[in-house]
């Protein structure tokens, strides 16, 4: 038996028949944020404060913060003021029976991976859907690693989780770099097929959380190593571009090699990609495929979905983090420098190891983290 309600003129159905109070198009679903005082948790709060489908109902953090108001517990880091309606909310412990969490229709997790596993499982087992930014369940056979502008069909794995005995479910979003990377890769793979990619990232310091990288380590410097990051990009890309089978997900047969670097930029990951295509195509054809790509997120008119998933720029010195990270309110990937695999004038086909090179920019804490998770919901 399901409970169905109208949210912004759309019919939304829940497995829990007790959800009966949401009957008008102006009503919103009650959601909570786990890890609410951290940098990603704050970005969740910033984006949810004005969301037309969701209303913040519960905020969770560690025992040090529980029992205090959010204004007392959080060191606010965002460029916009703390929402007034959030400041007075009492912070609860991160447990499904704690405070107002039992009344939530779903929760968003910004928890550190050291604690996320058990807490997220407890919420899912209590019948509360979990949309997680943590890495703990990304590679589970029945847990979707979701980017709505790329693989929305993977959401059908939720039914398999429920068939396995869960009353709630877990949906994850990928690493912040992977999120931006797979959007143009999906458009290119659909049109031409991809055999191999080499990825070089220049990742903003906000991706390390707060307080993040020490200033004396990152100022006047580039750090050519981010712990665990390269395996994430390589593994997650294959799962996201793969398919959902009877027993779980089947990875895409594609070779991925990643180099990840931390740079002195606040927000916005810049990623350089070299691509070997299955069916040869030139830069003009690839740019056309990127410009005309439309995802289900756009077709459905999701509130967080930008007008276009990608913007292709012809400017040779773009994208740049400071100038392009807020494209589409931070939900649009900017792609530039789309060119052939080699600039050798005499015979590029003879000397090129790859067919296409491009540079992309993704806002790592919006589309690449909290915003992507909200779009999943």
């Amino acid at each position: 038996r399901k409970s169905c309600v109208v949210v912004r003129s759309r019919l939304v159905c829940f497995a829990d028949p007790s959800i009966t109070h949401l009957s008008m198009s102006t009503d919103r679903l009650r959601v909570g944020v786990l890890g609410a005082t951290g940098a990603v948790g704050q970005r969740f709060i910033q984006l949810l404060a004005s969301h037309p489908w969701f209303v913040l109902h519960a905020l969770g953090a560690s025992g040090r913060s529980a029992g205090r108001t959010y204004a007392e517990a959080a060191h606010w880091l965002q460029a916009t003021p703390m929402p007034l309606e959030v400041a007075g909310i009492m912070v609860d412990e991160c447990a499904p029976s704690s405070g107002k969490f039992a009344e939530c229709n779903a929760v968003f997790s910004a928890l550190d991976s050291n604690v996320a596993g058990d807490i997220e499982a407890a919420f899912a087992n209590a019948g509360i859907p979990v949309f997680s930014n943590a890495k703990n369940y990304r590679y589970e056979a029945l847990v979707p690693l979701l980017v709505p502008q790329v693989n929305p069909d993977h959401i059908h794995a939720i039914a398999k989780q429920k068939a396995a005995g869960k009353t709630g479910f877990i949906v994850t979003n990928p690493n912040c770099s992977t999120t931006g990377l797979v959007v143009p890769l999906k458009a290119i793979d659909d049109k031409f097929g991809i055999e191999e990619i080499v990825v070089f990232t220049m990742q903003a310091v906000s991706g390390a959380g707060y307080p993040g990288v020490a200033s004396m380590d990152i100022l006047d410097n580039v750090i050519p190593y981010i712990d665990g990051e390269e395996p994430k990009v390589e593994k997650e890309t294959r799962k996201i571009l793969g398919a959902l089978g009877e027993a779980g997900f089947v990875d895409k047969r594609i070779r991925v090699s990643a180099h990840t670097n931390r740079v002195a930029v606040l927000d916005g990951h810049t990623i350089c990609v070299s691509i070997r295509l299955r069916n040869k195509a030139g830069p003009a054809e690839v740019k056309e495929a990127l410009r005309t790509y439309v995802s289900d997120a756009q077709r459905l008119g999701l509130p967080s979905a930008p007008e276009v998933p990608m913007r292709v720029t012809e400017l040779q010195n773009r994208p740049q983090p400071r100038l392009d990270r807020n494209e589409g309110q931070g939900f649009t990937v900017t792609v530039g420098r789309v060119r052939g695999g080699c600039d050798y004038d005499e015979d590029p086909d003879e000397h090129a190891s790859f067919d296409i090179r491009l540079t992309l920019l993704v806002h790592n804490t919006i589309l690449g983290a909290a915003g992507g998770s909200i779009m999943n919901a």
Side-chain angles (χ1 to χ4, degrees):
R1 181 177 166 224
K2 294 182 178 179
S3 174
C4 295
V5 299
V6 176
V7 181
R8 286 194 76 213
S9 303
R10 296 183 185 277
L11 188 67
V12 182
C13 295
F14 301 88
D16 183 357
S18 66
I19 302 173
T20 57
H21 69 285
L22 297 169
S23 58
M24 303 295 290
S25 61
T26 55
D27 287 328
R28 295 184 290 170
L29 308 180
R30 294 173 306 205
V31 298
V33 176
L34 305 172
T37 57
V40 174
Q42 291 181 23
R43 185 68 83 176
F44 270 117
I45 288 168
Q46 182 188 52
L47 295 173
L48 287 167
S50 59
H51 199 283
W53 290 9
F54 307 125
V55 60
L56 276 166
H57 188 68
L59 301 176
S62 67
R64 297 189 307 273
S65 300
R68 304 166 67 189
T69 66
Y70 187 72
E72 294 170 333
H75 173 51
W76 189 252
L77 303 168
Q78 304 305 312
T80 57
M82 180 186 294
L84 291 176
E85 64 271 25
V86 173
I89 294 179
M90 197 67 68
V91 177
D92 295 315
E93 292 189 10
C94 295
S97 59
S98 178
K100 294 184 176 180
F101 277 117
E103 303 170 353
C104 286
N105 304 126
V107 295
F108 297 99
S109 174
L111 292 167
D112 186 271
S113 60
N114 292 328
V115 298
D118 290 343
I119 293 173
E120 291 175 1
F123 274 86
N125 291 332
I128 301 174
V130 178
F131 295 90
S132 174
N133 190 65
K135 68 181 182 180
N136 302 66
Y137 294 102
R138 288 175 182 167
Y139 312 126
E140 293 291 316
L142 300 181
V143 174
L145 184 57
L146 199 65
V147 180
Q149 304 189 92
V150 175
N151 61 340
D153 56 308
H154 287 196
I155 202 74
H156 296 300
I158 289 174
K160 296 181 182 292
Q161 289 187 45
K162 288 184 173 293
K166 275 190 171 56
T167 53
F169 58 81
I170 297 174
V171 171
T172 63
N173 52 285
N175 169 272
C176 42
S177 293
T178 308
T179 302
L181 173 66
V182 295
V183 177
L185 288 186
K186 172 65 173 174
I188 294 170
D189 188 53
D190 281 356
K191 195 76 173 179
F192 311 108
I194 294 176
E195 292 184 346
E196 181 178 3
I197 64 169
V198 174
V199 181
F200 180 95
T201 73
M202 292 165 278
Q203 298 182 217
V205 292
S206 59
Y210 184 84
V213 185
S215 59
M216 290 186 68
D217 288 338
I218 196 62
L219 291 176
D220 190 33
N221 203 18
V222 172
I223 301 174
Y225 174 73
I226 304 173
D227 186 29
E229 200 81 353
E230 289 165 358
K232 290 178 189 174
V233 174
E234 294 166 355
K235 191 170 185 178
E236 292 171 7
T237 299
R238 296 186 184 97
K239 180 172 180 177
I240 294 165
L241 296 178
L244 177 60
E246 285 299 319
F249 291 98
V250 180
D251 286 354
K252 181 81 173 180
R253 293 177 63 87
I254 178 176
R255 294 187 294 276
V256 183
S257 179
H259 308 260
T260 59
N261 307 267
R262 188 73 69 192
V263 298
V265 170
L266 182 59
D267 288 315
H269 290 353
T270 305
I271 306 174
C272 300
V273 192
S274 296
I275 305 170
R276 180 175 290 116
L277 300 174
R278 183 166 292 111
N279 301 300
K280 303 304 179 186
E285 296 169 283
V286 170
K287 284 188 276 190
E288 180 65 14
L290 296 173
R291 287 191 173 107
T292 57
Y293 178 75
V294 179
S295 74
D296 282 356
Q298 277 73 43
R299 295 188 187 96
L300 291 170
L302 299 182
S304 298
E307 184 178 345
V308 292
M310 288 169 285
R311 180 177 66 85
V312 180
T313 176
E314 297 289 351
L315 297 174
Q316 286 299 313
N317 64 345
R318 304 281 281 275
Q320 296 179 24
R322 192 172 61 191
L323 301 178
D324 297 303
R325 60 191 169 208
N326 291 318
E327 184 72 28
Q329 305 300 311
F331 286 91
T332 294
V333 176
T334 301
V335 183
R337 302 213 66 219
V338 181
R339 60 206 192 280
C342 178
D343 291 328
Y344 194 81
D345 291 334
E346 293 181 13
D347 192 350
D349 290 335
E350 177 68 22
H351 295 89
S353 299
F354 293 88
D355 301 302
I356 292 292
R357 292 172 293 167
L358 58 82
T359 301
L360 67 93
L361 180 78
V362 58
H363 197 305
N364 54 296
T365 66
I366 298 183
L367 180 63
S373 191
I374 291 170
M375 206 189 311
N376 285 345

